[in-house]
Amino acid sequence: MKNYFQFIIRFYGFWLIFFGVLRSYFIVFQHFFGYRLTANEFVGSMFYGLYMDLAFASFIVAIPFLMYFINKWIPYRTFLYWYSTVLIAIIAGIYAGDISLYREWGFRLDKTAFSYLDKFQEAGSFVSVFNILLVVCFFCLIAFTGTLLFQKIFTIRKFELKSPSIWLHLILLPALIIPMRGGLGIIPMNPGKVYFSTNPFANHCALNTCWNLAYSFSQARKVNAGLHFMEDAEMNQLFDSWRLQKDNPEPRILKKKRPKILFFLLESFTAKMIGANYKDQEITPRLNEWFKRGMYFKNAYSTGDRTEIGLACALSGFPAQPQSSIVHHPRKTEKLPSLIRSLKNEQYTTSFYYGGDISFASMNSYLYNCGIDAIIDKTHFPKGSYNAKWGVHDHILFQRLFADIISDTSLFLKLCLSLSSHPPYDIPESRTWFETKEEVQFLNTAHYTDKYVGAILDSLSQRPIWDDLLVILVADHGCRFPGNSAYHIPEKFHIPMWFGGGAVAFDSTSETIVSQNDIAASLLGELNINNEAFEFSRNFFSADYKPSAYYAYNNGFGWIEPSGTRVFSNDKMEIILTEGSPQTEFNTAKAFLQKVLTVFESK
C-alpha cells in the first residue's frame, strides 16, 4: 500500500509540476511581446493557477482510478505509460497553439479558435511561416519537457501498481470530485475563481489552458443564461430609454436623395494610425488627406475584434457578443435585418468584393442570407494573380472594383473588404520600414493599403460618377498595433469612420462618440428609408443622438460615453477598468448586453 500511495502522489505531482512549468513558459514568452508581470503578480499567477491545475489534474488522475476496475483485461503499467504519453502530446499541442495565439488575440485558447476549423486551409493562409515554426518549436519543447519530467519524477515499474483494496478506490475516487469542482463551496470552478489582479494578463496567466478550453465548450450554450443581470422588464425599460430618439438630422449631410454607394471595410485599420507617424513618416498619409474632406468621425468604435463580427455589425447593426459570433449561425443570420436587403428594396444592385475565400468564417452564408446579388472573391481572379498566400492583394482587388464601378450604370451598393493588413502581413512591393518585428510588418501592410485606397479615391474623384457617389469607409475592427494595446481596453476598438464622396454636402470632423453598429440606421435615416428593424442601431446624425459605444471582448464588454469608460469582466462579474468619471448608471450597459444575448438566443 505504501508504494501504491507513493505512485498516486507522484502521478498527481507530475501533472501539477508540468502545468506549473507550462505557465512559466507562457509568462516568459509573452514577456518578449510586451506583456509584463510584477513579482507579486507572477507569484499570484502561480499560486492561483495551482488551484485550477489541481482541478484539471484531478480529471486526469481519475481515469487511472477508474481503470482499476478493468485492469484484469488491460495491463495497468502499459495503460499508464501510453495514457500519460498521449496526454503529454495533446497538452503540448494545446499549449503550443495557445502561446502563439495569445500575442495576437489577447486571451487564452478557447472554442473561438475551433470555429474556423471548417475552413482550415483558408485559416492557414493567415498564419505566417514564423508562427507555424513557433508552434512547432513550442510543441517540441513542451513534449520534451513533459516526457523528461515524467521519467524523472517516477518510473512506473518501480511501484507495485495493483491496488490493495477496491474499498480504497471507492473512497479516493469520490474525493477527487472536491478539487475537480474547485472545493466545497457553492460556486464550482470557473475562470473568475483564479482571477486575482486588476492586470488582465496576470489573471490570464493563472488560467489552465486545457481547463479553459474545456470550460468554453461546456459553456457554449449557456452564454445567455450566465449573464442575466436583471429581470426582463427592467432590461427592456433601460434598453428602450437608450434606444429612444427622433430621426431628426440637422442638417442632412447628403446632396443626393439616392446616391450610389461604395462601402469599404478595411481590415484591422485602427484609429491609432490615423494622423500618426512611425520613424518620422506618416503611416496613413492618403487617408489623412482624404479625411479632411467629407465627414470624419474621430471617436468611432467597433463592437468586436473579428472580421465576420464587424461585417454583421456594420451591415446589420447587430453588436458583437462575448464568446460567440452570430455569423457562425446561418439560421440566425437569416433573421437579421441588413443594409443590403433594405437598399435592394429601393432598387439598388448589391455586390461584395473580397480578395480571399468568402466562405471563410461563414461570411458567404451571411451575405447570401442578406440577399447579396453578387460576390466577387479570389475565385473570380486568374490564379496567376494570386500574389498573396490567401488570394489576391488589395491593389488587384481595387483595380477590379474600380473597373466595375465606372462601367456600372445602375444604382448600386458595392461593398469591399480589404485583406492585405491581415496576418501574415505580406505585401507585393517594397516595404516602407525594414524592421522585422511584427508591429512594423503590420504598419507596412496598412501603409500599402492606404496607398491604394487613396489611389482609387483619386481616380474616382476625376470621373463624372463622383458627384453621385457616397463613399463610406470604416474598419472591420481595431488592432493591438501600434503599441500592443491590451485586448480589453477601448483603445483597441477605436477605429476610423468616414462618410465622403461627391454626394456629401460639406466637410467636417465629428468629435461625437459613435459606434460601428450605428452605421445602418444612420445611412438609412439619411436616405429616408425605414430603419426600425435595426433595433441596436441608432442614427448618429440625429439631433437627439445620445453618444455611447459598446464593445465585446473575449468574455466581457466595455461601455464608452463622453464622461468616461467602464470595462466589465464576465468572469469576475465586476468592473475591471474605469477611465474618466462615467455619469450614467452602468445598468444601462448591462441591459444592452443582456438584450443582445436575448435577441441572439431568440433568432
Side-chain angles (χ1 to χ4, degrees):
M1 183 177 293
K2 179 180 178 182
N3 280 352
Y4 180 76
F5 274 113
Q6 287 181 7
F7 166 74
I8 294 298
I9 292 169
R10 291 194 181 202
F11 193 61
Y12 223 135
F14 160 71
W15 292 108
L16 295 179
I17 293 171
F18 185 38
F19 287 130
V21 171
L22 295 186
R23 180 170 292 104
S24 299
Y25 282 168
F26 178 83
I27 292 170
V28 170
F29 179 75
Q30 302 306 332
H31 179 85
F32 291 104
F33 287 91
Y35 293 99
R36 302 286 191 265
L37 293 181
T38 65
N40 286 339
E41 288 170 340
F42 174 80
V43 172
S45 68
M46 298 300 286
F47 176 78
Y48 285 94
L50 182 62
Y51 192 41
M52 189 171 281
D53 293 344
L54 192 63
F56 195 74
S58 296
F59 282 100
I60 294 174
V61 173
I63 302 300
F65 269 85
L66 292 173
M67 287 303 299
Y68 166 78
F69 296 102
I70 58 174
N71 70 3
K72 292 181 180 179
W73 296 276
I74 298 178
Y76 208 40
R77 290 187 180 90
T78 302
F79 165 75
L80 281 171
Y81 174 78
W82 286 109
Y83 173 71
S84 301
T85 300
V86 171
L87 273 182
I88 288 170
I90 293 172
I91 290 169
I94 290 172
Y95 270 84
D98 174 57
I99 291 173
S100 181
L101 285 172
Y102 186 88
R103 61 197 183 92
E104 180 65 35
W105 288 3
F107 57 86
R108 302 303 292 268
L109 185 68
D110 63 13
K111 69 180 182 65
T112 303
F114 293 83
S115 63
Y116 300 100
L117 285 182
D118 60 331
K119 296 299 294 181
F120 181 80
Q121 183 175 355
E122 181 70 9
S125 296
F126 296 140
V127 181
S128 66
V129 174
F130 172 76
N131 282 333
I132 293 173
L133 291 174
L134 206 60
V135 171
V136 171
C137 289
F138 269 104
F139 174 83
C140 294
L141 174 63
I142 293 168
F144 173 77
T145 301
T147 303
L148 184 64
L149 282 173
F150 187 78
Q151 294 173 348
K152 292 292 184 182
I153 291 176
F154 65 83
T155 303
I156 294 175
R157 64 177 179 270
K158 290 182 179 180
F159 297 96
E160 175 59 45
L161 300 181
K162 187 175 180 181
S163 175
S165 169
I166 190 173
W167 300 109
L168 183 63
H169 280 80
L170 294 177
I171 294 171
L172 293 179
L173 188 58
L176 288 174
I177 297 174
I178 297 173
M180 280 182 191
R181 71 178 304 280
L184 296 170
I186 297 175
I187 301 174
M189 175 61 72
N190 63 77
K193 278 203 164 190
V194 300
Y195 277 33
F196 67 96
S197 172
T198 56
N199 178 2
F201 176 60
N203 295 329
H204 292 170
C205 290
L207 291 171
N208 179 294
T209 302
C210 297
W211 187 96
N212 189 62
L213 181 61
Y215 179 81
S216 70
F217 276 104
S218 72
Q219 297 298 306
R221 297 183 178 273
K222 302 178 183 178
V223 174
N224 185 35
L227 290 170
H228 194 81
F229 296 111
M230 61 195 72
E231 296 300 319
D232 287 350
E234 182 182 3
M235 172 193 73
N236 288 323
Q237 181 182 9
L238 289 169
F239 180 78
D240 290 344
S241 177
W242 168 88
R243 178 81 174 89
L244 183 64
Q245 69 173 62
K246 298 176 182 178
D247 198 4
N248 181 30
E250 53 165 31
R252 292 191 178 276
I253 72 162
L254 296 180
K255 295 185 288 189
K256 296 284 183 177
K257 182 179 179 181
R258 286 290 184 271
K260 299 183 178 186
I261 303 172
L262 172 59
F263 196 130
F264 281 104
L265 276 166
L266 298 184
E267 172 66 45
S268 302
F269 258 62
T270 169
K272 293 183 288 182
M273 298 188 299
I274 306 304
N277 290 0
Y278 185 76
K279 296 291 181 67
D280 298 323
Q281 196 160 353
E282 287 181 288
I283 302 169
T284 57
R286 298 311 322 281
L287 290 183
N288 295 344
E289 178 185 343
W290 275 102
F291 288 170
K292 294 174 184 176
R293 314 177 208 179
M295 190 168 189
Y296 177 58
F297 294 88
K298 193 174 182 180
N299 292 304
Y301 292 86
S302 67
T303 73
D305 55 5
R306 291 286 178 275
T307 296
E308 71 275 15
I309 292 173
L311 191 63
C313 181
L315 301 185
S316 293
F318 196 81
Q321 314 90 55
Q323 296 189 316
S324 187
S325 168
I326 198 167
V327 177
H328 292 295
H329 302 269
R331 290 179 61 185
K332 295 181 182 291
T333 58
E334 288 176 359
K335 303 171 186 177
L336 289 178
S338 77
L339 274 177
I340 293 170
R341 190 177 299 110
S342 294
L343 293 176
K344 277 174 63 93
N345 291 339
E346 299 296 323
Q347 309 309 311
Y348 277 79
T349 61
T350 60
S351 51
F352 191 91
Y353 294 75
Y354 180 61
D357 183 347
I358 196 62
S359 63
F360 181 64
S362 300
M363 291 192 294
N364 59 337
S365 65
Y366 167 74
L367 290 168
Y368 285 129
N369 283 340
C370 289
I372 196 78
D373 291 321
I375 295 175
I376 296 87
D377 72 348
K378 74 175 188 178
T379 61
H380 292 78
F381 295 86
K383 289 189 176 180
S385 66
Y386 288 11
N387 56 351
K389 189 175 181 181
W390 29 253
V392 300
H393 271 297
D394 287 346
H395 79 278
I396 296 176
L397 180 69
F398 295 165
Q399 287 170 2
R400 168 65 185 267
L401 174 64
F402 176 76
D404 288 357
I405 288 173
I406 61 176
S407 64
D408 193 340
T409 58
S410 69
L411 184 64
F412 62 71
L413 165 67
K414 293 189 185 295
L415 300 139
C416 182
L417 173 59
S418 72
L419 193 51
S420 294
S421 49
H422 193 291
Y425 306 133
D426 61 329
I427 54 175
E429 58 187 40
S430 178
R431 297 177 178 270
T432 304
W433 301 281
F434 292 95
E435 298 169 60
T436 58
K437 61 182 180 180
E438 191 175 13
E439 177 177 351
V440 179
Q441 292 176 22
F442 166 72
L443 296 180
N444 273 307
T445 58
H447 189 78
Y448 156 81
T449 297
D450 170 80
K451 173 183 174 181
Y452 288 102
V453 171
I456 191 174
L457 294 178
D458 289 344
S459 298
L460 288 171
S461 68
Q462 302 302 313
R463 300 276 179 159
I465 194 176
W466 185 251
D467 289 338
D468 296 322
L469 190 64
L470 167 64
V471 181
I472 299 174
L473 186 150
V474 66
D476 58 349
H477 54 78
C479 183
R480 64 191 176 104
F481 297 133
N484 202 27
S485 299
Y487 75 107
H488 66 295
I489 66 174
E491 179 182 78
K492 183 175 181 287
F493 297 83
H494 190 193
I495 59 172
M497 185 189 295
W498 179 68
F499 281 55
V504 175
F506 53 85
D507 302 334
S508 66
T509 297
S510 172
E511 301 279 348
T512 303
I513 292 172
V514 297
S515 175
Q516 187 186 48
N517 61 288
D518 289 332
I519 293 174
S522 302
L523 175 58
L524 294 176
E526 278 291 301
L527 299 175
N528 284 315
I529 299 173
N530 188 290
N531 59 18
E532 291 181 1
F534 298 80
E535 61 183 319
F536 295 101
S537 186
R538 301 176 302 161
N539 187 347
F540 47 57
F541 294 123
S542 177
D544 59 353
Y545 176 77
K546 301 172 185 176
S548 65
Y550 153 93
Y551 65 83
Y553 59 93
N554 176 247
N555 196 20
F557 66 100
W559 189 264
I560 305 166
E561 55 192 31
S563 59
T565 297
R566 282 169 288 204
V567 180
F568 188 88
S569 167
N570 296 335
D571 290 320
K572 297 187 73 173
M573 294 303 290
E574 64 183 46
I575 294 170
I576 59 172
L577 175 67
T578 301
E579 295 180 352
S581 303
Q583 299 299 309
T584 60
E585 288 292 330
F586 195 63
N587 275 348
T588 299
K590 291 181 177 179
F592 183 92
L593 175 57
Q594 186 171 321
K595 183 72 172 182
V596 170
L597 295 174
T598 300
V599 173
F600 175 86
E601 196 70 17
S602 68
K603 291 292 185 185

